[in-house]
Amino acid sequence: MAMFRLQGSKVLAVDVTGDAVKAKNGSMVAYDGQMAFKKLSGGGEGIRGMVTRRLTGEQMTMMEVRGQGTCWLADRASEINLVQLHGDKLYVESSNLLATDAGLRTGTSFTGLRGATQGNGLFTTTVEGTGQAAITSDGPAVVLRVSPQYPLTVDPGAYVAHQGNVRQTFQSGVTFRTFMGEGGGEAFQIRFEGDGLVYVQPSERNTIAGDV
C-alpha cells in the first residue's frame, strides 16, 4: 500500500508501490520512477457519484496515480493534514480533499439544508475504509473533539471535515460575525453532536449564505 509522508506542512510525498492512489487533479508538483496518470470523473465511485456531482454542480476532479516511485502533491500552498481511517468514514469538503490511498473509497453523502442554503450542492464528499487520506486547510487545521456532554458549533466558512459517530445539523439566523454586528443576509451555523472529531481552518472561505 502507498505511504503518505509530509515534507514540511505544504507538500505530501506519496510512495507508490503498484496500488492506485487518488489525488486532486493538478496537485502533482513532481515525481520520480515509473508513473501513470489517469483523470477520473465525478469524484465518487460508480454512477451515483457521477450523477450527484452533475446534479449539484459541485466540482471534484480526481486523478489516479499508479506505478512505482514517489510523487509529490501540493495545492496552492495549503496546509496538509493526514487522517488515518480504521474502517470508519470521513466527511470532507470536496475542495479540501487532496489524496486517498488504495484502501479507501470515495463517494458522496446527502447533507440537506446546508447545500440549499450555501449554494454548494446537496452532497458532501465521503471517504471510508482503512487507510490514509490527506486533506488541506487554509492555515494549520485545528482538530476539535465533540462529545455527548459538549456539542460543537462551527462557522461553515471554517469547516473542513469531520469523522466519528457525529450528527450534523444546521442552525439558521446568526453566525459569529452577525452576532457581533458584522455581515448580513441569510446565515447559518453547523452544529455537531455525538462523539467524534471536527477539523476547522483558521481562515474562512467565502460562502453565499450571508457574510459567514
Side-chain angles (χ1 to χ4, degrees):
M1 184 175 292
M3 179 179 293
F4 288 7
R5 297 179 288 113
L6 284 178
Q7 297 198 323
S9 61
K10 299 181 180 181
V11 176
L12 176 69
V14 182
D15 298 321
V16 183
T17 57
D19 290 328
V21 174
K22 291 180 183 177
K24 190 172 188 177
N25 199 47
S27 63
M28 189 194 67
V29 295
Y31 75 92
D32 64 19
Q34 299 296 317
M35 296 286 185
F37 304 91
K38 176 184 176 183
K39 185 176 180 180
L40 302 175
S41 300
E45 296 177 350
I47 297 298
R48 181 178 179 272
M50 297 178 68
V51 170
T52 53
R53 292 296 173 192
R54 289 172 181 167
L55 287 176
T56 62
E58 192 170 308
Q59 298 298 315
M60 178 187 169
T61 305
M62 304 292 285
M63 63 180 177
E64 181 184 85
V65 183
R66 189 184 295 270
Q68 299 280 344
T70 301
C71 65
W72 287 267
L73 306 175
D75 185 24
R76 297 172 295 178
S78 297
E79 300 282 336
I80 300 172
N81 312 271
L82 295 182
V83 180
Q84 181 69 51
L85 298 178
H86 301 279
D88 52 331
K89 183 181 292 187
L90 174 73
Y91 297 83
V92 58
E93 289 286 332
S94 60
S95 60
N96 294 97
L97 180 60
L98 179 65
T100 64
D101 69 25
L104 299 175
R105 302 179 302 279
T106 57
T108 53
S109 178
F110 181 69
T111 59
L113 275 178
R114 176 183 155 275
T117 306
Q118 192 176 358
N120 283 350
L122 297 175
F123 293 83
T124 191
T125 297
T126 59
V127 181
E128 59 183 317
T130 299
Q132 280 190 306
I135 61 177
T136 60
S137 58
D138 188 359
V142 176
V143 184
L144 302 176
R145 166 68 66 177
V146 180
S147 69
Q149 296 83 10
Y150 296 99
L152 181 70
T153 302
V154 176
D155 190 304
Y159 168 77
V160 173
H162 72 274
Q163 67 184 123
N165 186 21
V166 175
R167 185 172 72 258
Q168 181 182 9
T169 57
F170 305 93
Q171 301 175 331
S172 62
V174 177
T175 66
F176 302 125
R177 288 187 182 179
T178 56
F179 182 76
M180 297 300 294
E182 301 175 359
E186 184 182 8
F188 67 99
Q189 298 170 335
I190 310 175
R191 181 179 173 87
F192 296 94
E193 297 176 273
D195 186 12
L197 302 174
V198 178
Y199 298 79
V200 298
Q201 61 186 10
S203 176
E204 297 173 314
R205 68 177 65 83
N206 292 326
T207 65
I208 298 173
D211 294 328
V212 298

